[in-house]
Amino acid sequence: GSGLTFRFLIVALSGYSLYYLMPALAPEVFFGKLFPNALPNMQSVADHGIMAPLPIAASATRNTMPSLHAAWAILGFLSLRHSPAWHKAAGALYVLAILIVTLGCGFHYTVDWIVALPLVLLARGIGAMSLPLQLHSRRNAILIGALLLCLWVLVVRGAPETLNHQKLIQLFAITSVGLPVWLERRLAKDEDAASADIL
């Protein structure tokens, strides 16, 4: 419906803006013929693009953080929550297929999928037009989604050495997955309650 199209547009505008802030190279581009059989031992994820010469990063691709393919697939799946079970199963298979293709073919890194979840949360919050903006679930979806995205930009663009702190990044990654999933469920619950009140 129009609500899903609007959320797709939010993802596109936000995602492309983030690509220009972090012009990283996809693994298949960065590693070239070495991908995927003999990848170098990377000391810093930042080397994948942020540290690459800008003309290379600008001309090759801005196809990394966040994964718009992931965000759009997840948004599509979330839109099926009131659909028959086989629709949900097909949606889940589609998300899985996008995951396998984007990572397996070297179009994205795992972190690109992780950062897609705060972007999805932000799009869900902005797109939840049936709910008042001051409602906690909608406001939190927008604020937390935007905050997590900004933090990833700060880490990758402003302090890439932080990426070498494995435990810290793992904690941040878990938070960037768990918090959006939890907040999206609360938002969906409030949307369902609002729909029930209208009916």
Side-chain angles (χ1 to χ4, degrees):
S2 60
L4 183 59
T5 303
F6 179 55
R7 290 172 189 143
F8 275 21
L9 182 60
I10 294 165
V11 165
L13 294 174
S14 304
Y16 287 126
S17 300
L18 290 169
Y19 285 179
Y20 280 91
L21 285 172
M22 300 177 289
L25 300 176
E28 186 255 346
V29 175
F30 185 85
F31 293 118
K33 293 178 181 178
L34 293 172
F35 181 85
N37 298 318
L39 302 184
N41 181 19
M42 297 301 296
Q43 295 301 313
S44 172
V45 178
D47 290 342
H48 283 257
I50 301 306
M51 302 303 289
L54 190 57
I56 296 174
S59 64
T61 184
R62 285 185 175 89
N63 193 35
T64 56
M65 184 186 292
S67 169
L68 300 191
H69 291 93
W72 287 324
I74 293 167
L75 277 172
F77 173 73
L78 292 175
S79 72
L80 298 172
R81 73 176 187 268
H82 298 302
S83 298
W86 73 271
H87 287 186
K88 295 176 188 174
L93 283 174
Y94 181 71
V95 173
L96 180 62
I98 295 293
L99 173 70
I100 291 169
V101 169
T102 53
L103 297 184
C105 292
F107 302 137
H108 284 288
Y109 303 100
T110 304
V111 69
D112 303 334
W113 271 76
I114 292 170
V115 180
L117 289 170
L119 179 56
V120 166
L121 180 65
L122 175 64
R124 285 280 292 117
I126 294 172
M129 306 298 270
S130 63
L131 301 176
L133 193 55
Q134 64 269 23
L135 188 70
H136 286 328
S137 61
R138 186 177 182 205
R139 186 184 63 208
N140 289 344
I142 295 170
L143 293 177
I144 299 299
L147 176 63
L148 288 171
L149 285 171
C150 288
L151 287 174
W152 276 108
V153 171
L154 286 174
V155 166
V156 173
R157 189 71 181 170
E161 65 278 1
T162 309
L163 295 167
N164 293 322
H165 300 283
Q166 191 173 4
K167 296 291 184 188
L168 180 64
I169 291 300
Q170 285 175 346
L171 179 62
F172 189 26
I174 291 168
T175 302
S176 298
V177 172
L179 203 51
V181 168
W182 179 62
L183 290 172
E184 197 285 328
R185 286 183 178 173
R186 293 184 62 191
L187 182 65
K189 185 176 179 181
D190 283 346
E191 283 180 320
D192 290 345
S195 295
D197 289 343
I198 292 171
L199 296 174

PDB file of all heavy atoms in Angstrom, residues 73 76-98:
ATOM      1  N   ALA A  73      13.654  -5.447   2.073  1.00  0.00           N
ATOM      2  CA  ALA A  73      13.145  -6.816   2.262  1.00  0.00           C
ATOM      3  C   ALA A  73      12.512  -6.966   3.645  1.00  0.00           C
ATOM      4  O   ALA A  73      11.436  -7.569   3.790  1.00  0.00           O
ATOM      5  CB  ALA A  73      14.277  -7.826   2.079  1.00  0.00           C
ATOM      6  N   GLY A  76       9.217  -5.122   3.800  1.00  0.00           N
ATOM      7  CA  GLY A  76       8.200  -5.917   3.108  1.00  0.00           C
ATOM      8  C   GLY A  76       7.696  -7.044   3.977  1.00  0.00           C
ATOM      9  O   GLY A  76       6.484  -7.293   4.060  1.00  0.00           O
ATOM     10  N   PHE A  77       8.623  -7.732   4.648  1.00  0.00           N
ATOM     11  CA  PHE A  77       8.234  -8.823   5.537  1.00  0.00           C
ATOM     12  C   PHE A  77       7.368  -8.310   6.684  1.00  0.00           C
ATOM     13  O   PHE A  77       6.348  -8.921   7.026  1.00  0.00           O
ATOM     14  CB  PHE A  77       9.483  -9.524   6.081  1.00  0.00           C
ATOM     15  CG  PHE A  77       9.182 -10.548   7.124  1.00  0.00           C
ATOM     16  CD1 PHE A  77       8.614 -11.764   6.783  1.00  0.00           C
ATOM     17  CD2 PHE A  77       9.450 -10.284   8.455  1.00  0.00           C
ATOM     18  CE1 PHE A  77       8.309 -12.709   7.752  1.00  0.00           C
ATOM     19  CE2 PHE A  77       9.162 -11.229   9.434  1.00  0.00           C
ATOM     20  CZ  PHE A  77       8.587 -12.435   9.080  1.00  0.00           C
ATOM     21  N   LEU A  78       7.756  -7.199   7.286  1.00  0.00           N
ATOM     22  CA  LEU A  78       6.989  -6.642   8.407  1.00  0.00           C
ATOM     23  C   LEU A  78       5.575  -6.228   7.989  1.00  0.00           C
ATOM     24  O   LEU A  78       4.646  -6.282   8.797  1.00  0.00           O
ATOM     25  CB  LEU A  78       7.727  -5.441   9.013  1.00  0.00           C
ATOM     26  CG  LEU A  78       9.038  -5.751   9.727  1.00  0.00           C
ATOM     27  CD1 LEU A  78       9.731  -4.465  10.168  1.00  0.00           C
ATOM     28  CD2 LEU A  78       8.816  -6.674  10.920  1.00  0.00           C
ATOM     29  N   SER A  79       5.424  -5.845   6.733  1.00  0.00           N
ATOM     30  CA  SER A  79       4.096  -5.429   6.253  1.00  0.00           C
ATOM     31  C   SER A  79       3.133  -6.608   6.127  1.00  0.00           C
ATOM     32  O   SER A  79       1.932  -6.409   5.932  1.00  0.00           O
ATOM     33  CB  SER A  79       4.220  -4.709   4.905  1.00  0.00           C
ATOM     34  OG  SER A  79       4.528  -5.631   3.873  1.00  0.00           O
ATOM     35  N   LEU A  80       3.658  -7.828   6.260  1.00  0.00           N
ATOM     36  CA  LEU A  80       2.838  -9.033   6.101  1.00  0.00           C
ATOM     37  C   LEU A  80       2.300  -9.572   7.435  1.00  0.00           C
ATOM     38  O   LEU A  80       1.774 -10.680   7.470  1.00  0.00           O
ATOM     39  CB  LEU A  80       3.662 -10.131   5.418  1.00  0.00           C
ATOM     40  CG  LEU A  80       4.166  -9.818   4.009  1.00  0.00           C
ATOM     41  CD1 LEU A  80       5.132 -10.908   3.545  1.00  0.00           C
ATOM     42  CD2 LEU A  80       3.008  -9.661   3.039  1.00  0.00           C
ATOM     43  N   ARG A  81       2.418  -8.808   8.507  1.00  0.00           N
ATOM     44  CA  ARG A  81       2.090  -9.364   9.827  1.00  0.00           C
ATOM     45  C   ARG A  81       0.623  -9.778   9.971  1.00  0.00           C
ATOM     46  O   ARG A  81       0.298 -10.607  10.805  1.00  0.00           O
ATOM     47  CB  ARG A  81       2.520  -8.417  10.938  1.00  0.00           C
ATOM     48  CG  ARG A  81       1.715  -7.175  11.119  1.00  0.00           C
ATOM     49  CD  ARG A  81       2.243  -6.401  12.341  1.00  0.00           C
ATOM     50  NE  ARG A  81       1.431  -5.277  12.685  1.00  0.00           N
ATOM     51  CZ  ARG A  81       1.620  -4.051  12.240  1.00  0.00           C
ATOM     52  NH1 ARG A  81       2.614  -3.807  11.402  1.00  0.00           N
ATOM     53  NH2 ARG A  81       0.827  -3.061  12.611  1.00  0.00           N
ATOM     54  N   HIS A  82      -0.271  -9.218   9.155  1.00  0.00           N
ATOM     55  CA  HIS A  82      -1.687  -9.618   9.203  1.00  0.00           C
ATOM     56  C   HIS A  82      -2.071 -10.520   8.037  1.00  0.00           C
ATOM     57  O   HIS A  82      -3.243 -10.803   7.824  1.00  0.00           O
ATOM     58  CB  HIS A  82      -2.585  -8.378   9.219  1.00  0.00           C
ATOM     59  CG  HIS A  82      -2.371  -7.511  10.424  1.00  0.00           C
ATOM     60  ND1 HIS A  82      -2.526  -7.968  11.704  1.00  0.00           N
ATOM     61  CD2 HIS A  82      -1.986  -6.216  10.530  1.00  0.00           C
ATOM     62  CE1 HIS A  82      -2.261  -6.994  12.556  1.00  0.00           C
ATOM     63  NE2 HIS A  82      -1.922  -5.926  11.869  1.00  0.00           N
ATOM     64  N   SER A  83      -1.088 -10.956   7.282  1.00  0.00           N
ATOM     65  CA  SER A  83      -1.330 -11.801   6.113  1.00  0.00           C
ATOM     66  C   SER A  83      -1.365 -13.271   6.510  1.00  0.00           C
ATOM     67  O   SER A  83      -0.940 -13.633   7.615  1.00  0.00           O
ATOM     68  CB  SER A  83      -0.229 -11.576   5.077  1.00  0.00           C
ATOM     69  OG  SER A  83      -0.230 -10.243   4.635  1.00  0.00           O
ATOM     70  N   PRO A  84      -1.835 -14.136   5.613  1.00  0.00           N
ATOM     71  CA  PRO A  84      -1.821 -15.577   5.891  1.00  0.00           C
ATOM     72  C   PRO A  84      -0.399 -16.077   6.147  1.00  0.00           C
ATOM     73  O   PRO A  84       0.583 -15.466   5.709  1.00  0.00           O
ATOM     74  CB  PRO A  84      -2.392 -16.185   4.598  1.00  0.00           C
ATOM     75  CG  PRO A  84      -3.180 -15.096   3.967  1.00  0.00           C
ATOM     76  CD  PRO A  84      -2.485 -13.815   4.329  1.00  0.00           C
ATOM     77  N   ALA A  85      -0.319 -17.216   6.831  1.00  0.00           N
ATOM     78  CA  ALA A  85       0.981 -17.766   7.222  1.00  0.00           C
ATOM     79  C   ALA A  85       1.883 -18.019   6.022  1.00  0.00           C
ATOM     80  O   ALA A  85       3.094 -17.794   6.093  1.00  0.00           O
ATOM     81  CB  ALA A  85       0.782 -19.060   8.016  1.00  0.00           C
ATOM     82  N   TRP A  86       1.303 -18.448   4.893  1.00  0.00           N
ATOM     83  CA  TRP A  86       2.163 -18.752   3.749  1.00  0.00           C
ATOM     84  C   TRP A  86       2.753 -17.481   3.143  1.00  0.00           C
ATOM     85  O   TRP A  86       3.837 -17.501   2.583  1.00  0.00           O
ATOM     86  CB  TRP A  86       1.416 -19.590   2.709  1.00  0.00           C
ATOM     87  CG  TRP A  86       0.375 -18.870   1.899  1.00  0.00           C
ATOM     88  CD1 TRP A  86      -0.943 -18.713   2.205  1.00  0.00           C
ATOM     89  CD2 TRP A  86       0.590 -18.227   0.636  1.00  0.00           C
ATOM     90  NE1 TRP A  86      -1.578 -18.002   1.213  1.00  0.00           N
ATOM     91  CE2 TRP A  86      -0.661 -17.695   0.236  1.00  0.00           C
ATOM     92  CE3 TRP A  86       1.692 -18.057  -0.189  1.00  0.00           C
ATOM     93  CZ2 TRP A  86      -0.828 -16.993  -0.944  1.00  0.00           C
ATOM     94  CZ3 TRP A  86       1.528 -17.355  -1.374  1.00  0.00           C
ATOM     95  CH2 TRP A  86       0.275 -16.826  -1.738  1.00  0.00           C
ATOM     96  N   HIS A  87       2.049 -16.342   3.285  1.00  0.00           N
ATOM     97  CA  HIS A  87       2.611 -15.059   2.850  1.00  0.00           C
ATOM     98  C   HIS A  87       3.824 -14.708   3.712  1.00  0.00           C
ATOM     99  O   HIS A  87       4.857 -14.260   3.188  1.00  0.00           O
ATOM    100  CB  HIS A  87       1.576 -13.938   2.987  1.00  0.00           C
ATOM    101  CG  HIS A  87       0.491 -13.984   1.960  1.00  0.00           C
ATOM    102  ND1 HIS A  87      -0.460 -12.993   1.836  1.00  0.00           N
ATOM    103  CD2 HIS A  87       0.196 -14.902   1.007  1.00  0.00           C
ATOM    104  CE1 HIS A  87      -1.287 -13.284   0.857  1.00  0.00           C
ATOM    105  NE2 HIS A  87      -0.922 -14.445   0.350  1.00  0.00           N
ATOM    106  N   LYS A  88       3.670 -14.918   5.019  1.00  0.00           N
ATOM    107  CA  LYS A  88       4.783 -14.623   5.937  1.00  0.00           C
ATOM    108  C   LYS A  88       5.982 -15.526   5.645  1.00  0.00           C
ATOM    109  O   LYS A  88       7.132 -15.077   5.678  1.00  0.00           O
ATOM    110  CB  LYS A  88       4.330 -14.801   7.386  1.00  0.00           C
ATOM    111  CG  LYS A  88       3.274 -13.819   7.824  1.00  0.00           C
ATOM    112  CD  LYS A  88       2.828 -14.136   9.238  1.00  0.00           C
ATOM    113  CE  LYS A  88       1.642 -13.280   9.629  1.00  0.00           C
ATOM    114  NZ  LYS A  88       1.096 -13.654  10.945  1.00  0.00           N
ATOM    115  N   ALA A  89       5.693 -16.802   5.359  1.00  0.00           N
ATOM    116  CA  ALA A  89       6.770 -17.742   5.040  1.00  0.00           C
ATOM    117  C   ALA A  89       7.492 -17.316   3.764  1.00  0.00           C
ATOM    118  O   ALA A  89       8.733 -17.339   3.691  1.00  0.00           O
ATOM    119  CB  ALA A  89       6.219 -19.156   4.896  1.00  0.00           C
ATOM    120  N   ALA A  90       6.709 -16.889   2.763  1.00  0.00           N
ATOM    121  CA  ALA A  90       7.317 -16.424   1.509  1.00  0.00           C
ATOM    122  C   ALA A  90       8.146 -15.166   1.748  1.00  0.00           C
ATOM    123  O   ALA A  90       9.246 -15.017   1.197  1.00  0.00           O
ATOM    124  CB  ALA A  90       6.235 -16.154   0.465  1.00  0.00           C
ATOM    125  N   GLY A  91       7.642 -14.283   2.593  1.00  0.00           N
ATOM    126  CA  GLY A  91       8.381 -13.064   2.933  1.00  0.00           C
ATOM    127  C   GLY A  91       9.684 -13.368   3.660  1.00  0.00           C
ATOM    128  O   GLY A  91      10.720 -12.763   3.381  1.00  0.00           O
ATOM    129  N   ALA A  92       9.629 -14.331   4.588  1.00  0.00           N
ATOM    130  CA  ALA A  92      10.834 -14.723   5.315  1.00  0.00           C
ATOM    131  C   ALA A  92      11.857 -15.357   4.379  1.00  0.00           C
ATOM    132  O   ALA A  92      13.069 -15.091   4.494  1.00  0.00           O
ATOM    133  CB  ALA A  92      10.468 -15.697   6.434  1.00  0.00           C
ATOM    134  N   LEU A  93      11.391 -16.165   3.443  1.00  0.00           N
ATOM    135  CA  LEU A  93      12.292 -16.775   2.458  1.00  0.00           C
ATOM    136  C   LEU A  93      12.931 -15.721   1.566  1.00  0.00           C
ATOM    137  O   LEU A  93      14.106 -15.830   1.194  1.00  0.00           O
ATOM    138  CB  LEU A  93      11.541 -17.803   1.604  1.00  0.00           C
ATOM    139  CG  LEU A  93      11.264 -19.151   2.277  1.00  0.00           C
ATOM    140  CD1 LEU A  93      10.382 -20.013   1.380  1.00  0.00           C
ATOM    141  CD2 LEU A  93      12.562 -19.871   2.606  1.00  0.00           C
ATOM    142  N   TYR A  94      12.162 -14.693   1.242  1.00  0.00           N
ATOM    143  CA  TYR A  94      12.699 -13.607   0.421  1.00  0.00           C
ATOM    144  C   TYR A  94      13.812 -12.862   1.169  1.00  0.00           C
ATOM    145  O   TYR A  94      14.868 -12.578   0.596  1.00  0.00           O
ATOM    146  CB  TYR A  94      11.579 -12.645   0.032  1.00  0.00           C
ATOM    147  CG  TYR A  94      12.057 -11.502  -0.830  1.00  0.00           C
ATOM    148  CD1 TYR A  94      12.444 -11.716  -2.144  1.00  0.00           C
ATOM    149  CD2 TYR A  94      12.138 -10.214  -0.320  1.00  0.00           C
ATOM    150  CE1 TYR A  94      12.894 -10.677  -2.936  1.00  0.00           C
ATOM    151  CE2 TYR A  94      12.591  -9.169  -1.105  1.00  0.00           C
ATOM    152  CZ  TYR A  94      12.965  -9.397  -2.410  1.00  0.00           C
ATOM    153  OH  TYR A  94      13.421  -8.373  -3.190  1.00  0.00           O
ATOM    154  N   VAL A  95      13.578 -12.577   2.443  1.00  0.00           N
ATOM    155  CA  VAL A  95      14.614 -11.914   3.259  1.00  0.00           C
ATOM    156  C   VAL A  95      15.858 -12.786   3.314  1.00  0.00           C
ATOM    157  O   VAL A  95      16.992 -12.299   3.163  1.00  0.00           O
ATOM    158  CB  VAL A  95      14.092 -11.608   4.682  1.00  0.00           C
ATOM    159  CG1 VAL A  95      15.223 -11.089   5.581  1.00  0.00           C
ATOM    160  CG2 VAL A  95      12.952 -10.599   4.637  1.00  0.00           C
ATOM    161  N   LEU A  96      15.668 -14.093   3.529  1.00  0.00           N
ATOM    162  CA  LEU A  96      16.804 -15.023   3.580  1.00  0.00           C
ATOM    163  C   LEU A  96      17.557 -15.053   2.251  1.00  0.00           C
ATOM    164  O   LEU A  96      18.796 -15.051   2.220  1.00  0.00           O
ATOM    165  CB  LEU A  96      16.310 -16.430   3.947  1.00  0.00           C
ATOM    166  CG  LEU A  96      17.378 -17.512   4.043  1.00  0.00           C
ATOM    167  CD1 LEU A  96      18.400 -17.188   5.140  1.00  0.00           C
ATOM    168  CD2 LEU A  96      16.733 -18.868   4.303  1.00  0.00           C
ATOM    169  N   ALA A  97      16.814 -15.052   1.141  1.00  0.00           N
ATOM    170  CA  ALA A  97      17.451 -15.060  -0.181  1.00  0.00           C
ATOM    171  C   ALA A  97      18.279 -13.801  -0.403  1.00  0.00           C
ATOM    172  O   ALA A  97      19.406 -13.859  -0.907  1.00  0.00           O
ATOM    173  CB  ALA A  97      16.392 -15.200  -1.271  1.00  0.00           C
ATOM    174  N   ILE A  98      17.737 -12.649   0.006  1.00  0.00           N
ATOM    175  CA  ILE A  98      18.470 -11.387  -0.130  1.00  0.00           C
ATOM    176  C   ILE A  98      19.729 -11.416   0.741  1.00  0.00           C
ATOM    177  O   ILE A  98      20.801 -10.965   0.325  1.00  0.00           O
ATOM    178  CB  ILE A  98      17.565 -10.190   0.250  1.00  0.00           C
ATOM    179  CG1 ILE A  98      16.406 -10.055  -0.734  1.00  0.00           C
ATOM    180  CG2 ILE A  98      18.371  -8.898   0.305  1.00  0.00           C
ATOM    181  CD1 ILE A  98      16.806  -9.677  -2.133  1.00  0.00           C
TER     182      ILE A  98
END
